[in-house]
């Protein structure tokens, strides 16, 4: 039976080459769809757990002994960004190793490692300890990026945008539910126990991968036995790496301080819940935007979809900057979520289409590294700009960054084509 299956796969591979398909998959349609939904569940567990702590992170820093508002803003930026320092450094390594030893191994490394370190964050007694653990956590990070790489390599090009957009909704759903639950649990249980719960959710995600994900061995054999790739082929990806960096820089600049901003607009009861809602409502809209724009990108192309997403997301920051009450802020955050969902799936689909097949793990590693660099720089820019010029200035800075990225994508028409040698 196995021999027959291998023969069918080989015939499909030859037929796809004769028909001019650029990226044949090593598995059948049911295989990549099954993997999609298993990874969806795992991504949900990871993002739900990690986003539990986002709404009250500045409050946790206050709980650890920092009380001056400007100091809280600066500490929030550093603690939020610390994980991305080591993530930025280690992602290319993990991506390269995934090409040799498999994406599943890297998923398990990330999941179990982050579960242990995140749980330990609930035991800290000072902001310095929290900062150190966030940096250690970055060494193990990469669960979602390796899930994307695994799905991308087994998904046909014509379904890449839709599949990656759908996979993103797992993370979106987790980031939607996580902040809401986190705000409620923070009031009921206290901040420390939320970190323990996050560790448990990360452990569940790792177990899902361990039990249910079956990575095709042919992917690893192909990566090991093929000749070393021509690094010049990776130059096609440089504009994508830059776009990924700028996207995350723009989007993350406001995240560490948005709950502080909400506090200036709302002084009623259940502040933690309202803070969680401010974070979650973007994910609520993103839940609809990501698969829709992902499917659209398969029809009109990733570059055009990126242009639409960048321009409209930038426009959505204007009502947030001008908000005079919490309702206007929530409306602006919702509008932002409708269009931000088209960015990452389109960029990931371009990585798949433009990277050498035997080095897609490496390519996704570098792209993830670029995103983590944006995750690192963005919160630092936002928190320091807020401390120097006021919180509202951060929205205008973010608008400018996203519009600049849109201009760059507009003139880079090479993203509309796939190199013939790939």
């Amino acid at each position: 039976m196995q021999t027959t299956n291998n023969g069918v796969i080989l015939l499909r591979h030859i037929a796809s080459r004769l028909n001019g398909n650029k990226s044949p998959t090593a598995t059948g349609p049911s295989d990549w769809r099954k993997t999609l939904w298993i990874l969806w569940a795992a991504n949900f567990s990871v993002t739900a757990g990690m986003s539990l702590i986002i709404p009250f992170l500045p409050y946790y820093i206050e709980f650890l002994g920092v009380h001056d508002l400007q100091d809280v803003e600066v500490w929030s930026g550093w603690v939020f960004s610390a994980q991305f320092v080591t993530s930025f450094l280690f992602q290319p390594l993990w991506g390269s190793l995934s090409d040799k030893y498999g994406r599943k191994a890297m998923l398990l490394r990330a999941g179990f490692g982050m579960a242990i370190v995140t749980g330990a964050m609930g035991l800290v007694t000072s902001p310095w300890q929290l900062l150190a653990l966030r940096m250690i956590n970055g060494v193990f990070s990469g669960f979602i990026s390796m899930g994307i790489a695994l799905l991308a390599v087994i998904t046909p090009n014509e379904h890449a945008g839709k599949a990656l957009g759908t996979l993103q909704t797992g993370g979106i759903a987790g980031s939607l539910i996580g902040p809401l639950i986190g705000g409620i649990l923070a009031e009921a249980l206290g901040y420390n126990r939320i970190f323990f719960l996050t560790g448990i959710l990360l452990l569940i995600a790792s177990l899902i991968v361990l039990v249910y994900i079956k990575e095709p061995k042919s992917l690893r054999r192909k990566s090991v036995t093929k000749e070393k790739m021509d690094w010049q082929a990776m130059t096609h990806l440089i504009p994508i790496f830059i776009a990924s960096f700028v996207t995350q820089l723009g989007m993350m600049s406001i995240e560490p301080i948005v709950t502080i901003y909400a506090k200036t607009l709302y002084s009623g009861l259940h502040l933690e819940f309202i803070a969680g809602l401010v974070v979650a409502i973007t994910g609520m809209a993103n839940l609809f935007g990501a698969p829709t724009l992902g499917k659209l990108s398969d029809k009109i192309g990733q570059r055009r979809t990126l242009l639409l997403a960048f321009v409209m997301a930038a426009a959505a920051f204007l009502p947030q900057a001008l908000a005079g009450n919490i309702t206007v802020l929530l409306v602006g955050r919702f509008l932002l979520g409708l269009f931000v969902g088209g960015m990452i799936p389109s960029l990931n689909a371009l990585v798949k289409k433009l990277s050498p097949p035997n080095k897609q793990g490496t390519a996704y590693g570098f792209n993830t590294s670029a995103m983590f660099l944006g995750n690192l720089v963005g919160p630092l820019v936002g928190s320091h700009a807020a401390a120097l010029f006021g919180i509202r200035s951060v929205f205008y800075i973010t608008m400018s960054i996203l519009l600049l990225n849109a201009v760059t994508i507009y003139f880079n028409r090479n993203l509309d084509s796939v190199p013939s040698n790939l």
Side-chain angles (χ1 to χ4, degrees):
M1 185 66 181
Q2 183 64 36
T3 303
T4 302
N5 290 338
N6 289 339
V8 172
I9 291 173
L10 178 60
L11 290 175
R12 287 177 179 170
H13 179 89
I14 295 172
S16 63
R17 286 299 186 185
L18 293 175
N19 291 331
N21 292 343
K22 297 180 176 65
S23 181
T25 181
T27 57
S30 61
D31 294 322
W32 69 261
R33 290 189 173 94
K34 177 182 177 181
T35 301
L36 165 61
W37 292 114
I38 295 172
L39 288 174
W40 191 99
N43 280 4
F44 174 82
S45 297
V46 169
T47 54
M50 296 304 295
S51 61
L52 284 175
I53 67 177
I54 290 176
F56 65 83
L57 188 59
Y59 309 148
Y60 190 49
I61 292 172
E62 288 182 315
F63 174 77
L64 294 175
V66 181
H67 301 294
D68 181 78
L69 179 59
Q70 287 190 351
D71 289 340
V72 170
E73 291 173 344
V74 173
W75 268 108
S76 296
W78 279 107
V79 169
F80 197 86
S81 302
Q83 179 170 319
F84 305 122
V85 176
T86 46
S87 297
F88 162 70
L89 296 174
F90 278 85
Q91 287 309 302
L93 172 62
W94 301 139
S96 178
L97 290 177
S98 74
D99 283 323
K100 294 182 179 180
Y101 303 110
R103 280 75 173 171
K104 179 177 178 178
M106 294 299 102
L107 282 167
L108 296 176
R109 169 202 55 78
F112 287 120
M114 293 173 65
I116 295 171
V117 177
T118 302
M121 293 180 191
L123 303 175
V124 301
T125 57
S126 71
W128 284 108
Q129 294 173 357
L130 181 61
L131 181 67
L133 285 176
R134 289 279 292 180
M135 294 187 70
I136 296 173
N137 209 37
V139 175
F140 294 101
S141 65
F143 186 95
I144 292 177
S145 62
M146 279 300 103
I148 291 171
L150 174 58
L151 180 64
V153 78
I154 66 173
T155 303
N157 274 351
E158 60 269 23
H159 299 295
K162 180 181 178 181
L164 294 173
T166 301
L167 179 60
Q168 185 176 330
T169 63
I172 295 167
S175 64
L176 167 64
I177 295 174
L180 292 174
I181 297 177
I184 296 173
L185 293 179
E187 293 185 39
L189 303 177
Y191 301 136
N192 300 67
R193 292 182 177 89
I194 304 300
F195 289 97
F196 303 147
L197 179 59
T198 298
I200 293 173
L201 290 174
L202 289 168
L203 181 61
I204 291 173
S206 303
L207 293 174
I208 290 174
V209 171
L210 179 64
V211 174
Y212 294 106
I213 291 291
K214 307 297 182 184
E215 181 177 7
K217 294 181 180 180
S218 59
L219 298 180
R220 283 172 285 171
R221 286 200 302 268
K222 179 178 65 175
S223 298
V224 174
T225 58
K226 274 203 170 187
E227 296 179 359
K228 292 183 178 179
M229 75 167 184
D230 181 3
W231 282 96
Q232 190 175 7
M234 294 288 281
T235 59
H236 296 290
L237 298 172
I238 292 178
I240 302 175
F241 298 158
I242 294 174
S244 295
F245 164 72
V246 176
T247 296
Q248 293 304 109
L249 188 153
M251 297 310 304
M252 299 303 293
S253 62
I254 195 63
E255 289 301 315
I257 57 174
V258 68
T259 53
I260 300 176
Y261 186 47
K263 192 175 181 180
T264 67
L265 299 175
Y266 179 82
S267 58
L269 299 175
H270 308 297
L271 174 62
E272 288 86 354
F273 175 78
I274 295 298
L277 182 60
V278 167
V279 175
I281 197 169
T282 301
M284 190 182 300
N286 205 331
L287 192 61
F288 300 100
T292 301
L293 291 176
K295 185 176 182 179
L296 179 66
S297 72
D298 289 330
K299 295 182 178 180
I300 68 173
Q302 278 74 36
R303 189 178 71 89
R304 293 180 180 178
T305 305
L306 284 171
L307 283 174
L308 172 66
F310 282 130
V311 172
M312 297 306 296
F317 276 101
L318 188 59
Q320 297 180 64
L322 301 176
N325 56 65
I326 196 67
T327 302
V328 176
L329 176 62
L330 289 171
V331 170
R333 297 281 294 174
F334 183 83
L335 293 174
L336 174 65
L338 287 177
F339 296 100
V340 72
M343 298 178 185
I344 301 303
S346 294
L347 290 169
N348 284 326
L350 285 172
V351 171
K352 169 184 169 58
K353 293 180 179 181
L354 297 176
S355 60
N358 64 315
K359 288 292 182 179
Q360 286 191 354
T362 302
Y364 276 105
F366 277 107
N367 190 58
T368 304
S369 182
M371 294 174 63
F372 278 134
L373 182 60
N375 289 340
L376 164 64
V377 176
L380 295 178
V381 170
S383 60
H384 283 79
L388 292 174
F389 308 112
I391 291 179
R392 293 177 188 267
S393 68
V394 182
F395 293 100
Y396 295 110
I397 293 173
T398 303
M399 286 177 59
S400 302
I401 291 172
L402 293 180
L403 288 175
L404 178 62
N405 208 3
V407 171
T408 302
I409 294 295
Y410 176 79
F411 287 105
N412 197 340
R413 298 184 183 274
N414 291 331
L415 296 179
D416 284 328
S417 61
V418 179
S420 58
N421 65 317
L422 300 183

